[in-house]
Amino acid sequence: MNLPTQPQHRHDHDHDHDHDHDHDHDHDHDHDHEHAESNHGHAHQADTCCSAQPAPAQVRFTERASSDAQLSRFRIEAMDCPTEQTLIQDKLAKLPGVEQLEFNLINRILGVRHTLAGTAAIESVIASLGMHAEPLADSDDSAAVSPASRTRWWPLALSGIAALAAELVHFSGAGPEWLVALLALAAILGCGLGTYKKGWIALKNRNLNINALMSIAVTGAVLIGQWPEAAMVMVLFSVAELIEARSLDRARNAIGGLMQLSPDRATVQQADGQWREVDVREVALEARVRVKPGERIGLDGQVLSGQSSVDQAPITGESLPVEKGVGDALFAGTINQAGALEYRVTALAGQSTLARIIKAVEQAQGSRAPTQRFVDRFSRVYTPVVFALALAIAVLPPLFTGAAWFDWVYRALVLLVVACPCALVISTPVTIVSGLAAAARKGILIKGGVYLEGGRTLDVLALDKTGTLTHGKPVQTDFQVLDPAFEHQAQALAASLGARSDHPVSRAIAQFGAQQGLAVQDVAQFEALGGRGVRGEIGGRRYHLGNHRLVEELGLCSPALEATLDGLERQGKTVVLLLDERGPLALFAVADTVKPSSREAIAELHALGIKTLMLTGDNPHTAEAIAAQVGIDRAEGNLLPEDKLKAIEGLYAQGHRVGMVGDGINDAPALARAEIGFAMAAAGSDSAIETADVALMDDDLRKIPAFVRLSRQARAILVQNIVLALGIKAIFLAITFAGLATLWMAVFADMGVSLLVVFNGLRLLRK
């Protein structure tokens, strides 16, 4: 790998990312995150997914939503495949006032941006399609949990008995033909009325889905006198649908189940000092909450008293409990283990870190990965072509060759059953959602299927140093007075400036001053100098606290100072200087420690074939010392935020696929430009969860190689599913042309491969 030795000019790297992102995200990717919520609803016959015309998850009827447009969300239990999405989209497009639609089929939620006075018109349009739309309140947290599909089993069981009886009577000749027809008709009506209803709605809207094709095939079998086979085909189809729907529930509820980790009630101190259990949704900010050993923490907060260990696995994926004391952060859904804690509530129930994680993954479920976009385009052409082929098979041979109508119509009916790309359409969303859920359980928050798939292509990973490779909590190790006149006040001045900064190095100097009992002085006209340091006025005099670069920019460097700085920097220490307008007054050396997990993570990345590059604003000597400790391939220091961005673009110019890991605002441009931006330690951070492509909920870098492995596994399963779906279809089409296939075989081929790809996709949940 030829890593650039100096910043390169901007290179326009064209990402083929196609998903909407409503956040203010300055990625150069063509991001298009499609929003999703979750779902639940009334009892219905289990649906599976199949459509000739899947639509994008987010549909805009206007260029931009009106300022007075409102978002209404609906739970539509019958909307769980692209067929229903297409029908709803086509109908609502004709309703004045509807501007945008946001679909989440996996969780059966529809979001409608509109300017209507109410939602009655929207509900009426959806009802005309045979579906029920249940409005959801914005604060309805239950939307995050999608219940299992519910189907009455006894009509299906009775239909199966009737179909089996029709077969036995037909083959044994023990009864008249009218009895066979009666039993078959009872079986078809008992389990197939829902299929016929959906099929009729689809045909009225010129949409060929599995319900329409199955209705045509069963009706055709009845018309040519194949009563027993028509009945058994409908029963087998209904059984396969039920199995598939129950399997999909695992994917639907993988994320929704996280919401159940947060308890419904919390013990809150009342105004009179008494403690009382209340619903967590009623707990206000700043309330004081008590949690006993063994209890789940109900809300995000900050420890006020007590000490305990807390299992944070639901949030961060950490395998070991974390010690918590006064001032430490707590997260809803985590488990208090050892001692009692009292904490101050810092976020309402619906705004907790856990709730934001669930919402982010739900939104990610709506985004279409590259493989899914391919499947969508393919299925738009596939089903109409096969339908036309079936029609030709039924009509042309009897007309032009004198072949038997019965044989060729039967073959056409078999072909219709095979025609729907059900397995192909359902394979990608199930696999993607399973991958997103598996990652979330490990404390890896992936913001869309495009990133889950894209992780496998990374060949270079750029990393920030402070807080990413190191603990980010450096301590002051050296102090040297350069101007004797400031011997007694230099530390206090530096600590006062450092206390106003959020940079770890400045904080280390401020903390050292606090430990020495030095009073913090007032700083006027304070200003942060990006990548260089800070400045401000103390006692009417201007001071700078900054790095080597700032000293050079101010023209205050000297050969003797260079030698001193060089010696400290070669030890891997970061040196900052206190300066006034005349020159340097004192220098401070700060050292950070490398996380043990960083060495393991870099080794794992190298084993995966990914090269590593450190990009840091620290001096080159420190960068090289840290890089050597953890085994990074190359390090570049003294980089401003724009330099990091140019370094990323330089790698793109060489044809690399680049990821970037960081935890600070200085990394934002590089994180935005990278193929995938990884935010470290995002737990509790609104901005990181909102803007990162992949958020690591703790500060363990080993989650990145875990993410890459998951990405490669997901891609392998997607390819397997496509090969399975298309391969079995191709084989069965050949058997059908040869006249060797039956309607029974067609159902097994179509629904069987659908179940195969669903089960294959769900394997990611076990990894």
Side-chain angles (χ1 to χ4, degrees), residues 109-123:
I109 284 287
L110 169 66
V112 183
R113 293 192 181 275
H114 63 91
T115 55
L116 302 173
T119 62
I122 298 172
E123 294 174 50

Side-chain angles (χ1 to χ4, degrees), residues 661-702:
V661 192
D663 70 335
I665 191 65
N666 285 347
D667 304 316
L671 284 169
R673 188 68 181 100
E675 190 87 13
I676 300 178
F678 298 87
M680 291 288 292
S685 169
D686 291 344
S687 59
I689 292 177
E690 293 292 332
T691 61
D693 300 329
V694 177
L696 309 182
M697 302 311 293
D698 64 0
D699 59 358
D700 192 342
L701 265 179
R702 290 173 296 186

Side-chain angles (χ1 to χ4, degrees), residues 209-408:
N209 61 26
I210 188 61
N211 296 302
L213 298 176
M214 187 59 64
S215 299
I216 294 170
V218 171
T219 303
V222 167
L223 293 177
I224 61 176
Q226 296 295 304
W227 287 97
E229 193 163 6
M232 191 58 72
V233 163
M234 185 62 81
V235 170
L236 290 173
F237 173 70
S238 299
V239 170
E241 273 199 318
L242 176 60
I243 295 172
E244 184 177 335
R246 294 293 168 85
S247 301
L248 289 175
D249 283 335
R250 283 192 61 197
R252 288 192 174 105
N253 296 330
I255 296 300
L258 284 175
M259 182 62 81
Q260 299 172 357
L261 294 175
S262 182
D264 295 328
R265 302 183 71 78
T267 304
V268 183
Q269 188 175 41
Q270 305 300 302
D272 59 2
Q274 298 295 313
W275 295 88
R276 185 166 62 89
E277 274 199 3
V278 299
D279 191 307
V280 293
R281 290 173 293 185
E282 298 175 3
V283 180
L285 287 174
E286 304 297 324
R288 192 181 186 102
V289 179
R290 175 187 292 168
V291 58
K292 300 175 184 176
E295 286 186 340
R296 286 192 181 273
I297 294 167
L299 299 127
D300 282 7
Q302 186 177 42
V303 178
L304 295 175
S305 68
Q307 190 165 355
S308 180
S309 57
V310 176
D311 179 0
Q312 296 191 151
I315 300 294
T316 66
E318 293 168 288
S319 57
L320 296 176
V322 178
E323 293 298 321
K324 297 288 185 178
V326 175
D328 289 334
L330 298 175
F331 303 112
T334 57
I335 305 169
N336 180 35
Q337 293 192 326
L341 293 172
E342 292 183 13
Y343 64 91
R344 174 179 62 86
V345 175
T346 57
L348 298 176
Q351 299 168 354
S352 68
T353 299
L354 178 61
R356 294 200 306 272
I357 290 172
I358 294 168
K359 182 178 180 181
V361 179
E362 286 169 354
Q363 290 175 345
Q365 291 176 23
S367 69
R368 295 184 306 155
T371 301
Q372 190 168 352
R373 293 200 297 271
F374 158 76
V375 167
D376 289 349
R377 290 192 297 266
F378 179 85
S379 59
R380 286 191 187 101
V381 177
Y382 170 80
T383 304
V385 168
V386 176
F387 187 84
L389 181 61
L391 190 61
I393 287 175
V395 174
L396 297 182
L399 284 180
F400 294 100
T401 66
W405 281 92
F406 178 92
D407 292 341
W408 288 96

Side-chain angles (χ1 to χ4, degrees), residues 548-702:
H548 194 169
R549 177 192 290 268
L550 180 61
V551 181
E552 291 182 340
E553 284 186 3
L554 296 174
L556 299 175
C557 212
S558 67
L561 182 59
E562 287 278 4
T564 302
L565 295 178
D566 185 66
L568 290 169
E569 289 173 351
R570 288 189 183 278
Q571 299 174 33
K573 298 177 180 179
T574 299
V575 183
V576 296
L577 295 102
L578 178 69
L579 313 104
D580 63 8
E581 65 278 1
R582 296 175 301 171
L585 308 177
L587 67 77
F588 307 81
V590 171
D592 198 358
T593 54
V594 173
K595 301 173 189 172
S597 60
S598 296
R599 299 184 185 93
E600 296 178 36
I602 298 303
E604 289 183 38
L605 287 167
H606 289 164
L608 291 168
I610 297 175
K611 299 293 184 181
T612 51
L613 168 68
M614 181 196 295
L615 301 176
T616 178
D618 220 331
N619 67 80
H621 297 308
T622 300
E624 289 171 7
I626 298 296
Q629 288 184 51
V630 298
I632 284 182
D633 295 312
R634 187 187 183 97
E636 294 188 21
N638 280 342
L639 298 183
L640 295 172
E642 54 266 31
D643 296 326
K644 293 183 180 183
L645 173 62
K646 290 176 182 177
I648 295 293
E649 292 178 337
L651 291 169
Y652 279 138
Q654 296 176 17
H656 294 293
R657 305 300 291 265
V658 188
M660 173 69 190
V661 192
D663 70 335
I665 191 65
N666 285 347
D667 304 316
L671 284 169
R673 188 68 181 100
E675 190 87 13
I676 300 178
F678 298 87
M680 291 288 292
S685 169
D686 291 344
S687 59
I689 292 177
E690 293 292 332
T691 61
D693 300 329
V694 177
L696 309 182
M697 302 311 293
D698 64 0
D699 59 358
D700 192 342
L701 265 179
R702 290 173 296 186

Side-chain angles (χ1 to χ4, degrees), residues 79-96:
M79 184 194 74
D80 60 357
C81 84
T83 297
E84 287 83 24
Q85 175 179 326
T86 303
L87 294 175
I88 292 170
Q89 176 187 322
D90 291 345
K91 283 288 187 181
L92 288 180
K94 302 172 184 176
L95 185 64

